[in-house]
């Protein structure tokens, strides 16, 4: 079982910055892709960004150029640097990680998705 614990959320004025962290722990065989989703009040959870084990990143269009994801594989930690924050970035931010069972045969390998409890980011105008 893998546990994900986020930190770094808070209240910030528009134009400000925050850095989120997510630490993965537990008996994971291998942590693959890590990333962040967010959910604003009354809205569905949405994809924000991901980073593969090899460092390949992807972002939703609305955060490109403002958010940067990075990871430290040795520490099983992923970070989200958020700059130029906007009120519409206000949401609960959830860390997501995928793991597998280590089966050397890709055809029979099983994959699992894990979520953190979330950290709240509030951007005031």
């Amino acid at each position: 079982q893998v546990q994900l614990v986020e930190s770094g959320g808070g209240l910030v004025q528009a134009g400000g910055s925050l850095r989120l962290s997510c630490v993965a722990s537990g008996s994971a065989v291998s942590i693959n892709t890590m990333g962040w989703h967010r959910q604003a009040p009354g809205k569905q959870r949405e994809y924000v960004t991901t980073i593969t084990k090899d460092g390949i990143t992807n972002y939703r269009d609305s955060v490109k150029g403002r958010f940067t994801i990075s990871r430290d594989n040795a520490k099983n930690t992923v970070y989200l640097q958020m700059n130029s924050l906007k009120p519409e970035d206000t949401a609960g931010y959830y860390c997501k990680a995928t793991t597998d069972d280590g089966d050397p045969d890709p055809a029979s390998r099983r994959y699992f998705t894990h979520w953190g409890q979330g950290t709240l980011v509030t951007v005031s105008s």
Side-chain angles (χ1 to χ4, degrees), residues 37-114:
H37 284 58
R38 67 187 181 187
Q39 186 168 16
K43 296 188 177 181
Q44 291 188 331
R45 190 172 296 188
E46 63 183 19
Y47 166 87
V48 178
T49 179
T50 50
I51 183 168
T52 68
K53 186 184 298 186
D54 297 327
I56 298 172
T57 60
N58 192 44
Y59 299 90
R60 71 178 296 111
D61 287 344
S62 63
V63 307
K64 286 180 180 178
R66 300 189 298 120
F67 290 11
T68 303
I69 189 171
S70 60
R71 66 188 284 175
D72 184 333
N73 290 332
K75 297 181 178 180
N76 284 337
T77 301
V78 64
Y79 305 96
L80 181 62
Q81 178 65 45
M82 304 185 295
N83 298 329
S84 301
L85 283 161
K86 304 176 181 180
E88 51 263 43
D89 294 318
T90 294
Y93 282 71
Y94 297 86
C95 179
K96 178 182 177 181
T98 59
T99 60
D100 62 68
D101 62 2
D103 189 328
D105 182 358
S108 57
R109 188 177 300 154
R110 294 189 301 165
Y111 294 88
F112 307 94
T113 298
H114 311 273

